[in-house]
Amino acid sequence: MDNFRSLRMLDAFRKLFIAVGIDYDVMRKILQLKLTMDDRRVPTIFDGANPEEGENHFLKSLGIYALYGLILIPFILLGENYMIQLSLVFGIIIFILMTTMITDFSTVLLDLRDKTMLNSRPVDNRTIQAAKTIHVLIYMVSITCAFVAIPVVVSLFSQGPLFALLFVGVLIFVSLFVVVLTALLYLLVLKFFDGERLKDIINYVQIILSIGIFLGYQLIGRSVEFTMSGFSYQFDWWHLFVPAFWFGAPFELLLRGDFSTPLIGLSILALLVPVISLIVYVKMMPSFERNLQKLLTHSSKSKKRWSGVNELWAKILCRTNEERAMFRFAGLMMEKDREFKLKVYPSLALSLFIPFLFVVNQTRFSSMDEVSSGNGYLSIYFCNFMIPAVIQMLQYSGNDKASWIFKTTPLEQITSTYSATLKSFIVKLYMPIFLVVSIGFTWLFSVSLLPQLVIIFLAGIVQTLVTYKLLDNEIHPFSKSFKFIKEAKSAKTLLLALVTGLFYGAHHLALKVPYVLPIYFILLLGAVVIGWALIFPKTSSKPLVR
């Protein structure tokens, strides 16, 4: 095993650990084993990529975090109000650290291998708990340093050494606050729910992180405008409940000499809350360890949800009982498979945001009346960009080994598996997103938009069929492991997303030429009916599994 640099640095504190009753040599060996095993893990920040074997994924991810840290620089360089600037900076830092802590290091904090492997050996609990805490801190310190290294250097030259020193000091409290808050959040969830619910929460936070990274890019473009706009800080009572304001207050207090009561109160919270949280966490560690046992239990109870709407759609859209059964199965897979949701749901969420983002960008150069009188509503075609990515993911599943069921089930109509899956995708994933965006656009533009929305929806269904055919999806859905996502196929998916532009262009052209729009509508409707019948014939003797 490697003698990691972090462990060599830890050796400097050997006497301190021994003085508080920790078996340092055993703790070091446990940490060395954990860090070696962690080398195999791929961080969530590389989700969608296929890192090569033998790469140190964690070190590579630190480089990405260093790039993300550039988002903080405009807030440090521009503007004259430390309270607003630093509150935004620490808000971003807390978001990145908190989501990273939950997505990538939940396995570290919730590691139960300690119990099964070490409790049978002569290792005391204090040493095991110290190893777990140090393990988490090694990662948090590494990520925090990578994320803020460049902004700290920039602050040293632009704002002076006192500012940089205070920035580093506050960051220590922020990191401590994030680690303890995450642990207490887990404790709260485990106290009232089972391990399955905790896994769901972790999954949703992973999805939020993926969306947050994209929105972070958007924030970069607007950060300069915001900091240059000359806002002045006005205290309000709810600021007491927002940690970002606590950590921004000491800068205004110590560097600008503003000793007003609200800033003194917020600064005291920045100092006391992390310390008190740490004391509470240490006191509740035994309870935390006991509740971790819930992660080993699998609740067999599940709430029976009303599925009347899904049953109605199955009866309307599916021709046979076999297809209806597959429609229900595909819907459940899209809803329950955590790995599938992690890959697909960020794309869905972006499809929800991007059309509105496009309209907001237009209002920076034109009034809302001018935007609503034009063809800006065609930005709803951004909803269709996600179709190729999702259709490709329908091949994969985190439970792909269960695909033997397709081979053993005597299917009368073999094409029904994918036909029903695509119908389920349209009903469960595409249509809800499209409906929400359509309602928003109808409110922003006009009710007269409805015929255009129907045409865009039909274009989305045609694109679904075209994508399925061109991606060569002639295998059963959910039957391959996510490990086999190929880069070449991902490039093909990206090219297929550009097909959306063809539909956009055709629609735009149809609007320009009189009487062409109804013809375009009839062509799309015919393409849906005839295309579906040709791609998924009622009888098929062609074997799908090759």
Side-chain angles (χ1 to χ4, degrees), residues 412-443:
E412 292 179 5
Q413 189 181 333
I414 208 156
T415 57
S416 65
T417 56
Y418 240 115
S419 170
T421 302
L422 292 184
K423 288 174 182 174
S424 187
F425 153 69
I426 291 168
V427 170
K428 299 277 288 188
L429 301 182
Y430 177 65
M431 203 159 70
I433 299 286
F434 190 83
L435 273 178
V436 171
V437 179
S438 298
I439 291 169
F441 270 50
T442 306
W443 180 70

Side-chain angles (χ1 to χ4, degrees), residues 109 180 183-184 276-285 288:
L109 200 62
V180 174
L184 291 176
I276 293 172
S277 302
L278 180 63
I279 294 170
V280 171
Y281 173 63
V282 171
K283 293 278 185 190
M284 301 193 74
M285 268 297 279
F288 183 69

Side-chain angles (χ1 to χ4, degrees), residues 298-528:
H298 298 279
S299 174
S300 57
K301 296 178 181 177
S302 59
K303 289 182 182 177
K304 195 169 183 180
R305 298 172 59 183
W306 184 70
S307 57
V309 175
N310 287 336
E311 288 298 318
L312 183 64
W313 278 116
K315 286 179 182 174
I316 294 172
L317 297 176
C318 301
R319 291 171 290 191
T320 63
N321 288 332
E322 194 175 84
E323 196 179 16
R324 287 187 198 107
M326 191 63 207
F327 180 89
R328 297 184 201 104
F329 169 76
L332 286 172
M333 287 297 292
M334 293 175 204
E335 189 180 331
K336 302 286 185 186
D337 191 322
R338 292 193 180 99
E339 204 166 348
F340 177 85
K341 288 195 289 186
L342 181 60
K343 303 280 184 191
V344 168
Y345 280 27
S347 304
L348 299 178
L350 292 181
S351 300
L352 196 64
F353 287 121
I354 290 177
F356 292 107
L357 206 59
F358 189 82
V359 174
V360 170
N361 280 334
Q362 283 185 312
T363 57
R364 294 169 67 190
F365 308 104
S366 312
S367 67
M368 192 58 214
D369 288 338
E370 289 174 324
V371 173
S372 58
S373 62
N375 291 340
Y377 61 84
L378 289 179
S379 61
I380 202 172
Y381 269 101
F382 280 108
C383 287
N384 295 358
F385 261 118
M386 58 88 169
I387 289 174
V390 180
I391 298 295
Q392 186 195 7
M393 289 301 160
L394 290 175
Q395 302 174 56
Y396 304 97
S397 168
N399 301 302
D400 58 291
K401 291 179 180 174
S403 62
W404 56 267
I405 193 79
F406 292 119
K407 299 174 186 176
T408 55
T409 304
L411 296 171
E412 292 179 5
Q413 189 181 333
I414 208 156
T415 57
S416 65
T417 56
Y418 240 115
S419 170
T421 302
L422 292 184
K423 288 174 182 174
S424 187
F425 153 69
I426 291 168
V427 170
K428 299 277 288 188
L429 301 182
Y430 177 65
M431 203 159 70
I433 299 286
F434 190 83
L435 273 178
V436 171
V437 179
S438 298
I439 291 169
F441 270 50
T442 306
W443 180 70
L444 284 173
F445 291 88
S446 164
V447 181
S448 61
L449 202 66
L450 289 175
Q452 312 295 335
L453 295 176
V454 173
I455 289 175
I456 297 170
F457 182 71
L458 287 175
I461 297 176
V462 175
Q463 189 174 353
T464 299
L465 290 172
V466 171
T467 304
Y468 166 75
K469 200 62 190 165
L470 294 180
L471 277 178
D472 197 20
N473 277 342
E474 292 188 275
I475 54 171
H476 293 298
F478 310 112
S479 57
K480 293 167 74 175
S481 167
F482 284 106
K483 291 186 293 186
F484 300 112
I485 297 175
K486 295 178 181 175
E487 289 179 359
K489 210 156 190 174
S490 298
K492 192 174 179 180
T493 305
L494 189 62
L495 287 174
L496 282 170
L498 299 179
V499 172
T500 307
L502 297 179
F503 286 103
Y504 173 90
H507 194 154
H508 197 270
L509 193 65
L511 287 168
K512 296 284 182 189
V513 183
Y515 310 114
V516 172
L517 199 62
I519 297 172
Y520 182 55
F521 167 76
I522 293 169
L523 285 175
L524 286 174
L525 189 61
V528 170

Side-chain angles (χ1 to χ4, degrees), residues 128-394:
I128 295 173
Q129 288 177 4
K132 178 179 283 188
T133 305
I134 298 296
H135 190 198
V136 173
L137 285 176
I138 286 173
Y139 282 115
M140 287 308 292
V141 169
S142 303
I143 290 173
T144 306
C145 288
F147 188 59
V148 302
I150 299 174
V152 167
V153 173
V154 170
S155 72
L156 179 64
F157 289 102
S158 63
Q159 303 286 355
L162 278 178
F163 182 97
L165 196 64
L166 184 59
F167 193 35
V168 173
V170 173
L171 277 172
I172 294 171
F173 281 88
V174 169
S175 302
L176 186 66
F177 177 70
V178 167
V179 173
V180 174
L181 184 66
T182 308
L184 291 176
L185 177 68
Y186 285 153
L187 176 64
L188 192 68
V189 173
L190 285 172
K191 200 169 181 65
F192 296 103
F193 302 101
D194 58 15
E196 289 299 311
R197 179 55 61 98
L198 181 61
K199 290 172 188 171
D200 282 338
I201 289 173
I202 293 170
N203 190 235
Y204 288 128
V205 173
Q206 287 174 319
I207 293 165
I208 291 169
L209 175 62
S210 304
I211 300 164
I213 288 170
F214 171 81
L215 295 179
Y217 285 121
Q218 300 298 317
L219 192 61
I220 290 173
R222 289 162 178 75
S223 58
V224 176
E225 294 176 25
F226 187 79
T227 49
M228 290 291 286
S229 56
F231 282 103
S232 61
Y233 173 72
Q234 296 293 328
F235 175 76
D236 212 338
W237 63 268
W238 57 268
H239 293 178
L240 294 171
F241 301 97
V242 181
F245 285 115
W246 308 344
F247 297 112
F251 290 84
E252 200 71 32
L253 184 79
L254 298 176
L255 300 180
R256 288 277 163 77
D258 185 347
F259 289 93
S260 59
T261 305
L263 288 181
I264 292 174
L266 290 169
S267 300
I268 291 173
L269 286 175
L271 182 68
L272 287 186
V273 172
V275 175
I276 293 172
S277 302
L278 180 63
I279 294 170
V280 171
Y281 173 63
V282 171
K283 293 278 185 190
M284 301 193 74
M285 268 297 279
S287 173
F288 183 69
E289 293 293 325
R290 279 197 305 276
N291 282 300
L292 279 181
Q293 292 295 332
K294 288 185 178 181
L295 289 173
L296 296 176
T297 60
H298 298 279
S299 174
S300 57
K301 296 178 181 177
S302 59
K303 289 182 182 177
K304 195 169 183 180
R305 298 172 59 183
W306 184 70
S307 57
V309 175
N310 287 336
E311 288 298 318
L312 183 64
W313 278 116
K315 286 179 182 174
I316 294 172
L317 297 176
C318 301
R319 291 171 290 191
T320 63
N321 288 332
E322 194 175 84
E323 196 179 16
R324 287 187 198 107
M326 191 63 207
F327 180 89
R328 297 184 201 104
F329 169 76
L332 286 172
M333 287 297 292
M334 293 175 204
E335 189 180 331
K336 302 286 185 186
D337 191 322
R338 292 193 180 99
E339 204 166 348
F340 177 85
K341 288 195 289 186
L342 181 60
K343 303 280 184 191
V344 168
Y345 280 27
S347 304
L348 299 178
L350 292 181
S351 300
L352 196 64
F353 287 121
I354 290 177
F356 292 107
L357 206 59
F358 189 82
V359 174
V360 170
N361 280 334
Q362 283 185 312
T363 57
R364 294 169 67 190
F365 308 104
S366 312
S367 67
M368 192 58 214
D369 288 338
E370 289 174 324
V371 173
S372 58
S373 62
N375 291 340
Y377 61 84
L378 289 179
S379 61
I380 202 172
Y381 269 101
F382 280 108
C383 287
N384 295 358
F385 261 118
M386 58 88 169
I387 289 174
V390 180
I391 298 295
Q392 186 195 7
M393 289 301 160
L394 290 175

